[in-house]
Structures are given as structure tokens and as C-alpha cells.
Amino acid sequence: MRFANIGGRLAISTGGGYADVAAASGGQFGPAAMEGLENWSGLRAWADRQDAAALEPYLLEGSGEKGAADLRIPVPEPRQVFAIGLNYRDHVAESGLTEPSTPPVFTKFPTCLTGPRDSVVPPPGVGGLGGRTRRGHRPSR
């Protein structure tokens, strides 16, 4: 099962697109992505019982599997964001620091996250982002 945030709505993959979870569940889950995450065990149990064909009537417009038109950040309102620093040798070398025995862990503001198609615009007066942007990775289970 794969979930997504399409246009601000919680959606589930059908293999051919993304179905609106609120509509497909008959309102058992709200439309916002965070609502589903807050009841993760219930959402997973519901999703495990779904058949792709039964979800077809609830497909979101423009949500083809290869290019959901309005794919957004999966967790739009995270409570915490942790980052790992100096986690590869090139970064340590370019920083001019000594390689740590364990990489430092630090927090970031939740606004540091963007969706897969969002633009990252530097603030006025900043010449470019250089190495200040990093691709995020989600942990696997």
C-alpha cells in the first residue's frame, strides 16, 4: 500500500492512480493527510481490506500513478524534523572538519520540508543554495 498527499487530500494508490481516502472510506478518515497519520493503525487496517477495483470510483482527477498532478509533501505538518550532519566523507572534507565518530543529529524547522515538485527559492540577498539543500529519504519498515 502506498499513500500520498494529492492536492492536500489523503490518497491511496490503486496501481492506476490515487483514490481519495475520505470518500472511499465513507468518511471513516478525514481528507487531510495528517488525520490519517494520526490513526495510522486504523488506516493501515482499512487499506489492507481494499481492492483496487473498488477504489476506482474514488480516483482523484489527474492522479495517474506516474505523475500525480498535485503531489505534495507526504507529511505536511510534522511535529519534529531531525537531520544528520557530516554523514558522508565529501561533506566532512568540504567543511574542513574532522570526521566524527558518529554524525551529529540536530533538529530543523518543519518548514524545511517541501514536496517533490516544489521550488526552493533562496531568500533575498542569498546568491544560491549550493550545498544547503538535501534530498530527504524516508526510512523503510
Side-chain angles (χ1 to χ4, degrees):
M1 100 196 75
R2 293 175 61 187
F3 294 100
N5 176 359
I6 310 288
R9 297 188 68 83
L10 179 60
I12 184 171
S13 172
T14 66
Y18 288 91
D20 184 278
V21 169
S25 71
Q28 181 179 351
F29 302 96
M34 291 303 292
E35 292 176 45
L37 296 175
E38 289 167 2
N39 183 7
W40 182 244
S41 59
L43 179 62
R44 284 190 58 147
W46 173 83
D48 288 342
R49 296 188 306 269
Q50 301 311 303
D51 173 68
L55 293 171
E56 292 295 322
Y58 306 103
L59 286 180
L60 291 165
E61 188 175 330
S63 73
E65 197 69 35
K66 296 282 185 194
D70 198 8
L71 185 62
R72 296 186 184 175
I73 184 171
V75 182
E77 300 164 17
R79 291 186 184 110
Q80 295 178 314
V81 176
F82 292 94
I84 309 296
L86 303 175
N87 54 335
Y88 57 97
R89 287 191 174 95
D90 288 348
H91 188 195
V92 174
E94 74 185 24
S95 300
L97 300 171
T98 304
E99 186 173 335
S101 58
T102 58
V105 177
F106 54 96
T107 59
K108 296 185 73 83
F109 288 103
T111 55
C112 73
L113 302 175
T114 64
R117 295 186 180 98
D118 293 339
S119 296
V120 178
V121 180
V126 174
L129 296 173
R132 293 180 194 85
T133 59
R134 300 282 185 250
R135 177 178 293 244
H137 298 278
R138 67 171 171 77
S140 321
R141 289 189 183 216

